[in-house]
Amino acid sequence: MKEQDRPRAVRIAVGLWLATAVFVLFTTVGLWFQRGEVQRLTDWTSGQVTSFLATLTGVALVFVVAYAVLTRLFLKRKNWARITLSFVAIAHMVWILFVGISASNLVTLLLICAAIVFTWQASTAQWLAEVREP
């Protein structure tokens, strides 16, 4: 199916999911370049900062890969991928609240919320239903 045959809501949802993944990836990489600032703000040892950043990176990569794979499956009209994307997004939002709110985390939350809205539009549901067997 050509991209222009997809409803606008589907195209927007896909763009938002992928934008979320890319934004999370770049934000995480950016934190590594700000190691000194993280250490200064937290008063942690270098090892603690490294451990913290490694944990954040690992979790971020899980979300990035999940968004990329599930978005691809969503484009293949797998309804379960839409449901799973939403659950992954909710888990991601909880993780963000656990880690703490920052400007970049607020942007991530906004991207996720917008992506969920477009993922669950009526036109998206109709597009997915067109391939289901009766």
Side-chain angles (χ1 to χ4, degrees):
M1 169 174 275
K2 296 177 184 168
E3 183 179 335
Q4 59 267 27
D5 295 337
R6 296 182 189 117
R8 184 171 187 248
V10 172
R11 293 191 312 267
I12 293 170
V14 167
L16 287 167
W17 288 121
L18 296 177
T20 301
V22 169
F23 186 75
V24 167
L25 187 63
F26 283 134
T27 301
T28 304
V29 169
L31 283 173
W32 283 96
F33 288 104
Q34 296 176 340
R35 270 181 64 87
E37 185 66 14
V38 172
Q39 189 170 1
R40 188 186 66 74
L41 288 172
T42 60
D43 204 27
W44 290 344
T45 67
S46 180
Q48 288 172 313
V49 172
T50 300
S51 178
F52 174 72
L53 291 177
T55 301
L56 284 181
T57 301
V59 173
L61 288 175
V62 168
F63 285 120
V64 166
V65 169
Y67 288 140
V69 170
L70 291 169
T71 299
R72 180 177 167 90
L73 293 168
F74 172 61
L75 276 173
K76 292 184 176 189
R77 292 184 168 189
K78 306 291 184 191
N79 190 52
W80 64 266
R82 174 173 75 147
I83 295 165
T84 307
L85 263 171
S86 299
F87 279 114
V88 167
I90 290 167
H92 193 178
M93 288 190 281
V94 169
W95 170 256
I96 287 171
L97 294 174
F98 174 73
V99 171
I101 298 297
S102 66
S104 63
N105 282 346
L106 286 175
V107 171
T108 304
L109 287 171
L110 288 172
L111 285 168
I112 290 171
C113 289
I116 289 173
V117 166
F118 283 99
T119 299
W120 289 94
Q121 290 284 310
S123 60
T124 304
Q126 181 181 357
W127 175 75
L128 288 167
E130 289 173 359
V131 297
R132 289 192 205 136
E133 294 182 27

